[in-house]
Amino acid sequence: MLPPIMVYTWTFAAATPSFHCRTPADDISDVTLIDDIRHHYIPSESQCRQYKKAISISECQKCFQLTNGSFENNGGMKPCTSFVFDRTYYESTLVEEWFMVCSRVSLKSFAQIIFFFGYMVGSIVFGILSDKFGRRPVMGASFIVITLAAFMCALAPHPKLTFEISYALFIFGRFLLACGTRGVALTGFVIGAEIVGPKQRLFTGIVIEYFFAGGELILLGFAYLIRTWRSLNMALAIISIPFLLFYFILPESPRWLISNGHYEHAERILRRIGKRNKKDFDSVAYQKLIQTEQELKALSPHTKHGLRSLFRSKIMIIIAINMSFQWFVQNLVFYGVSQNTGAWMSNPYIAFGAGALVEIVAYCVVHLVLDRWGRKLTFCAFVFTFGIVAYLVVPVQMLMKKNSLAQENLMFIINVVLKFLAAGSYAIIYIYANELFPTQCRNSCMGLCSMIARFGAIIGTLSNDLLARIWIHFPVVFFGTTSLLAVAFATLCPETANKPLPQTIEDIDRIGLSWPCWKPKSSKHVEANGSSYNDEHISLKHAENNGSSGIEDPVSQSS
């Protein structure tokens, strides 16, 4: 719940209200003369088309003004140096305070790029640390980083400081905030899946998304009541303090403990879970599991954990690259569409709330169909449909009467459907990837995917800021094209629904890929060090309970 509150604060704190160039008309009190005077300073559509810069007509009319009411060889049009902002919905925003519009809009884009760069760093760093030191301490440290960064964002931009210093401190705070939110989001998602058996994995994966959307609604409540960006940031920084206590409630992942040889600690946690759920803990099955784990480690004593283990298997490398690309596209689409929800309707609060509600509906639908249809088919259906719907923007804009009620209503429906599909596929890819990666490198691989995904989020942001200057609907068409490309590669991955979580790279090799040329070998598995042994040996831990993974038994029974 906390990461979306911190991530989407930018939507309101750095919102761009309606604005226009300051003209002499804004300094007079007679409202009957304002429009008439201002008209002489606004470039016409034909004048904007003659202007050599590649910008839209609407931006030209907002960012440039005519000098002396004339236009001769482009010499009579000049960039605005001062602006008047509409205060219907916001009392103050960072965009207004720092004039991050028109030629200075890159300052806003750069702040978001740094934020997503923090996503990249936080994803890979906290992912590696989580696989090495455990899920619990990394989550605890991430909450501390979030709290400190939130206060920095609220206090750093100060009137007594120069713009350069304030801006630098603010984007550094946003960088740290992004790092911390990835530590919480990724590690929390992984531990949620690792602490239950196969039947509960969908619930633990999707319930996180419910709270994600719930966090957006909480943010909406604060933003609606607090209309100044600094007070809003300060209030949300205070909100983060109670989350510091979460470390003392959270248990460590028993799968991670078993994978790293901390058997007694894992047993204590599983027994506590079983006691809470009034289930019996099977000590005999657990001892067999430990024995199997030790035998496997003896067979391959130099097994690598973390990202290094990927290079032991071609299939694992292909899955990692494919999942990274899927995350890239889903972040490109999700953040690109989400940042445009303000264009759904004039009131940004209603638009943001509608977007959050659409997300909740998408998560509910995913929850209902994901086990029935499977991860792969559901994901491909959402992504493919998104691509088709995105292309509908072109005929709607080209063939229908411009700015007509029918066109506006149809565009609203298309935007809602795109948001629904983007939210659904974004939720599925988290669950799907989490079930494809083995325990010994799950958090590192999820961190790698999340790091690559930040490039998608950055490109999505730049698309909204730059491509929209050429044609306002250009970004949506771009998002649709990348989605259709992603579907083709998604068909390569195997299905994971209702199957045990893979523990090792060998488990992934036995599953194989969907394409016929990448079917798993059944006779022998070759280790990276050159030694080989029969599948029966590496499948020892799957022999229990009719083929279920050994680790599934104590976890499932306790859960």
Side-chain angles (χ1 to χ4, degrees):
M1 188 169 64
L2 185 62
I5 292 176
M6 296 300 170
V7 170
Y8 289 115
T9 304
W10 180 257
T11 303
F12 299 101
T16 303
S18 297
F19 67 93
H20 62 265
C21 290
R22 180 176 291 278
T23 66
D26 296 300
D27 298 324
I28 64 175
S29 57
D30 190 347
V31 294
T32 60
L33 298 176
I34 291 178
D35 291 338
D36 185 56
I37 296 176
R38 187 180 295 159
H39 176 74
H40 292 284
Y41 289 89
I42 299 176
S44 66
E45 291 189 12
S46 60
Q47 291 168 336
C48 286
R49 289 193 184 99
Q50 295 178 46
Y51 194 61
K52 295 179 180 179
K53 291 185 178 293
I55 58 176
S56 64
I57 293 175
S58 61
E59 181 172 346
C60 171
Q61 293 178 331
K62 288 191 297 184
C63 299
F64 291 83
Q65 63 180 350
L66 301 177
T67 57
N68 301 322
S70 64
F71 184 80
E72 298 176 358
N73 299 323
N74 294 339
M77 193 162 69
K78 66 177 183 179
C80 300
T81 56
S82 182
F83 303 91
V84 176
F85 292 89
D86 181 23
R87 300 195 182 278
T88 303
Y89 301 110
Y90 307 101
E91 292 182 20
S92 70
T93 71
L94 266 175
V95 168
E96 178 182 351
E97 187 167 317
W98 287 342
F99 286 117
M100 294 190 294
V101 293
C102 299
S103 61
R104 288 168 61 89
V105 73
S106 58
L107 293 173
K108 182 179 178 181
S109 300
F110 182 72
Q112 275 297 80
I113 290 173
I114 294 297
F115 179 81
F116 287 125
F117 181 70
Y119 258 30
M120 293 167 53
V121 174
S123 297
I124 194 67
V125 170
F126 283 117
I128 293 173
L129 292 178
S130 179
D131 279 340
K132 186 173 183 180
F133 299 107
R135 316 320 193 195
R136 182 170 178 253
V138 168
M139 282 198 73
S142 298
F143 280 121
I144 295 175
V145 172
I146 288 176
T147 301
L148 295 176
F151 277 102
M152 178 180 292
C153 290
L155 299 175
H158 198 276
K160 294 184 178 180
L161 299 176
T162 63
F163 165 74
E164 290 76 10
I165 296 177
S166 294
Y167 184 75
L169 291 175
F170 180 80
I171 62 174
F172 180 65
R174 290 277 295 170
F175 171 83
L176 294 178
L177 193 65
C179 290
T181 55
R182 295 322 292 161
V184 170
L186 282 178
T187 307
F189 197 93
V190 168
I191 195 173
E194 289 183 343
I195 210 165
V196 299
K199 293 181 179 180
Q200 295 83 20
R201 279 208 307 270
L202 173 58
F203 173 77
T204 56
I206 209 67
V207 75
I208 291 176
E209 306 297 348
Y210 291 143
F211 277 92
F212 186 94
E216 294 180 34
L217 294 176
I218 291 175
L219 168 64
L220 176 62
F222 276 90
Y224 182 79
L225 296 173
I226 306 173
R227 303 294 181 97
T228 60
W229 74 266
R230 193 184 301 275
S231 299
L232 177 62
N233 274 18
M234 180 59 70
L236 297 177
I238 296 173
I239 286 293
S240 68
I241 294 177
F243 285 87
L244 296 173
L245 301 176
F246 194 72
Y247 173 82
F248 302 101
I249 302 173
L250 181 73
E252 183 55 90
S253 164
R255 293 184 190 276
W256 180 86
L257 291 169
I258 293 171
S259 180
N260 287 270
H262 304 293
Y263 304 121
E264 293 182 1
H265 190 178
E267 182 177 357
R268 289 197 299 271
I269 292 176
L270 291 172
R271 286 186 179 276
R272 186 164 70 248
I273 293 173
K275 184 178 180 180
R276 288 282 182 88
N277 293 330
K278 298 180 181 180
K279 301 281 186 177
D280 293 329
F281 178 78
D282 193 337
S283 300
V284 176
Y286 186 70
Q287 291 303 319
K288 289 181 178 179
L289 169 66
I290 293 176
Q291 182 179 356
T292 302
E293 288 288 328
Q294 291 174 340
E295 290 176 357
L296 289 172
K297 289 181 179 179
L299 287 172
S300 52
H302 303 294
T303 298
K304 295 184 174 75
H305 289 250
L307 291 178
R308 292 181 298 173
S309 62
L310 290 178
F311 299 100
R312 295 166 49 204
S313 164
K314 291 181 179 179
I315 292 179
M316 195 68 250
I317 292 174
I318 292 173
I319 289 177
I321 294 174
N322 197 349
M323 281 294 106
S324 296
F325 177 69
Q326 299 299 333
W327 277 53
F328 170 87
V329 173
Q330 292 312 308
N331 275 259
L332 168 72
V333 168
F334 180 77
Y335 284 102
V337 171
S338 296
Q339 290 170 6
N340 264 341
T341 53
W344 288 9
M345 52 192 73
S346 58
N347 190 315
Y349 301 101
I350 297 178
F352 187 87
L357 293 177
V358 170
E359 282 190 35
I360 293 175
V361 173
Y363 300 147
C364 290
V365 172
V366 169
H367 196 171
L368 292 174
V369 305
L370 203 56
D371 272 343
R372 297 178 183 179
W373 295 359
R375 288 19 170 183
K376 181 178 175 179
L377 177 60
T378 309
F379 176 73
C380 290
F382 270 77
V383 177
F384 179 77
T385 307
F386 180 95
I388 299 301
V389 174
Y391 276 113
L392 293 179
V393 170
V394 178
V396 169
Q397 290 297 317
M398 298 298 180
L399 303 179
M400 296 185 69
K401 184 179 179 181
K402 188 176 181 181
N403 297 327
S404 64
L405 181 61
Q407 187 189 56
E408 291 179 356
N409 290 337
L410 193 54
M411 283 302 302
F412 176 77
I413 294 173
I414 290 176
N415 284 326
V416 170
V417 173
L418 290 177
K419 175 69 173 181
F420 169 84
L421 295 170
S425 59
Y426 189 79
I428 296 169
I429 198 62
Y430 262 84
I431 298 172
Y432 195 15
N434 198 48
E435 294 176 348
L436 277 173
F437 294 126
T439 299
Q440 63 183 201
C441 63
R442 180 171 294 118
N443 224 93
S444 296
C445 291
M446 291 285 282
L448 174 65
C449 288
S450 185
M451 183 190 73
I452 301 298
R454 294 319 119 193
F455 288 106
I458 291 172
I459 294 175
T461 300
L462 291 176
S463 298
N464 286 330
D465 290 339
L466 301 179
L467 292 182
R469 300 179 73 181
I470 301 173
W471 184 43
I472 192 170
H473 301 290
F474 197 175
V476 173
V477 177
F478 174 59
F479 301 153
T481 303
T482 56
S483 294
L484 294 177
L485 181 62
V487 171
F489 291 101
T491 58
L492 177 66
C493 293
E495 181 56 70
T496 61
N498 298 316
K499 294 181 181 178
L501 276 179
Q503 282 288 101
T504 65
I505 299 294
E506 292 75 28
D507 293 341
I508 296 296
D509 284 343
R510 279 193 299 276
I511 296 172
L513 301 174
S514 293
W515 290 1
C517 57
W518 288 102
K519 289 298 181 182
K521 295 180 180 180
S522 58
S523 58
K524 289 189 177 183
H525 177 86
V526 182
E527 281 290 318
N529 58 12
S531 64
S532 64
Y533 49 92
N534 192 279
D535 273 350
E536 294 178 359
H537 292 287
I538 63 173
S539 300
L540 283 173
K541 64 178 178 177
H542 297 277
E544 302 295 330
N545 197 23
N546 296 325
S548 296
S549 171
I551 193 172
E552 297 292 349
D553 296 338
V555 175
S556 299
Q557 290 177 357
S558 300
S559 300

